[in-house]
Amino acid sequence: MFSLAREEKWIKISLLVLSAIFFSISLYAVLRYGDSNFLGSLDKMNNDDVKYIRSAWTFLDTGMLTYQNADEPTVFIMPGLPLTLAFFMSVFGKIEGITAFRIFQVILQTFSLFLVFFIGRKTFNSRVAIMACGLNLFYVAEFYAATLILTEVIFKFLLLLLVYISFYAVEEKRTRYYVLGGLVWGAACLFRPTIAAYPAVIFVIWLIKRYTLREMFKYTVITLTIFSAVLSPWWIRNDKIYDRFIPLTLSSGNPFLQGTYVNYDQSKDYTNYTIGKTEIESNQNQMNAGIDRLKTYGVKEPLKYLYWYTLGKSFYLWRIPFYWKEILGVPIIAAAIFHVIILGMAVAGIIRSFKGKDKRFTLTFTVIVYFNLIYLPYYAFERYAYPVMPFVMIFAAFTILEFFKKRWGRFRGEAEGSYC
């Protein structure tokens, strides 16, 4: 599954060299920029990263998972990141543990590069895979993400691992792969609830591969059982605290409300909502305000909102890389240009893929579509597209290889003709 034994020597060497360079740059980035790349302030606790850190500190001190309010238990976030941070803090200390966590992210980023290769190989071939790894090396957002205290790096690794396992599960129809898939799916959900509907991707592939209803039922039961086992401690905890079944979070209210503003412009038709006494009450008030906005303005301007909830938000999701602060001397504009070039080449690669007879690319393509659709109801922006960019790079790499293949063939033909 993870073997390189049959690869050509130059592929093995290239992958090892790329991964060594990638690891070295990532490690330098987190040690050089980590402490200066906080999105919020540890004094004010005014952004996601510092709130995650406070959640870990509070959990170590009290055993209670919190987020917005350090005195109130939360279901606003999934527990994966605070618990992971708390683990490193328990071993290395509350401050040193933050650095240890960043180094852990460097290791995960390097493993992710290998997974990009393996997925690229399954999607197309080893040459495309190694080219995708090369593109990943020059994508500065990868190094920036490793410096942050957010869910992006861990979730990206788990997503790549889940997709790679999925290739084997749908192709070989072996129970062990569906068991592994359920474990990784559940683990990923502990960090990002947006992966919860991932079985929709597998269902599409089942239809393409013409799985029988019996096979679908069998593997659904297996995967859901494993998934439930992973999530059950979270479900039990929520039931004890809130006396209700909360499968994931109750935190979609504000992103949902923000997403109702066209181009995220709240200066026009701003809608007030009441701050609740608890996080859950505030969340529900925000959801209600968002629904009221859609009923009012969506009905009044249906075409405008139809565009906004399809192409409009898709544009905001993909338009720029998740690279908010310059590091390694790379200007934001240069990173943005490289990002747009990758997107353009990826679109060309997807179009070319559909024209071919080999349909192995459909799983990788469906994952991209899935994440584009899953974020449309909410506040869609570049941070959410970051974990999906490795799949985009695989299609961009395919375009590059096909271009050089065509040019090289033409060059060889001209060279051979010159000797006739």
Side-chain angles (χ1 to χ4, degrees), residues 238-254:
N238 292 340
D239 182 69
K240 286 184 176 180
I241 294 176
Y242 301 102
D243 195 28
R244 58 190 287 193
F245 177 64
I246 303 175
L248 300 172
T249 69
L250 289 178
S251 64
S252 60
N254 197 38

Side-chain angles (χ1 to χ4, degrees), residues 202-244:
I202 301 303
F203 180 70
V204 171
I205 306 303
W206 280 349
L207 293 178
I208 293 173
K209 290 187 172 291
R210 297 184 179 181
Y211 268 56
T212 65
L213 288 176
R214 183 176 181 179
E215 289 172 329
M216 291 182 186
F217 178 77
K218 172 186 174 182
Y219 294 125
T220 297
V221 170
I222 292 172
T223 308
L224 279 178
T225 300
I226 300 300
F227 176 82
S228 299
V230 174
L231 270 293
S232 58
W234 176 242
W235 296 342
I236 293 170
R237 175 260 186 191
N238 292 340
D239 182 69
K240 286 184 176 180
I241 294 176
Y242 301 102
D243 195 28
R244 58 190 287 193

Side-chain angles (χ1 to χ4, degrees), residues 296-340:
T296 301
Y297 302 110
V299 173
K300 186 184 297 184
E301 301 177 285
L303 293 180
K304 179 179 179 180
Y305 273 78
L306 177 62
Y307 169 80
W308 173 235
Y309 274 85
T310 51
L311 297 179
K313 288 193 182 183
S314 295
F315 170 75
Y316 276 89
L317 184 66
W318 299 104
R319 61 174 184 160
I320 57 175
F322 176 47
Y323 182 55
W324 293 348
K325 188 175 182 179
E326 292 183 5
I327 63 171
L328 303 171
V330 180
I332 291 177
I333 185 64
I337 291 172
F338 185 62
H339 175 81
V340 171

Side-chain angles (χ1 to χ4, degrees), residues 30 34-35 38 97-106 146-149:
V30 300
D35 290 340
F38 281 117
I98 299 173
T99 301
F101 174 78
R102 289 195 179 102
I103 295 174
F104 169 67
Q105 290 194 138
V106 169
T147 69
L148 304 176
I149 310 298

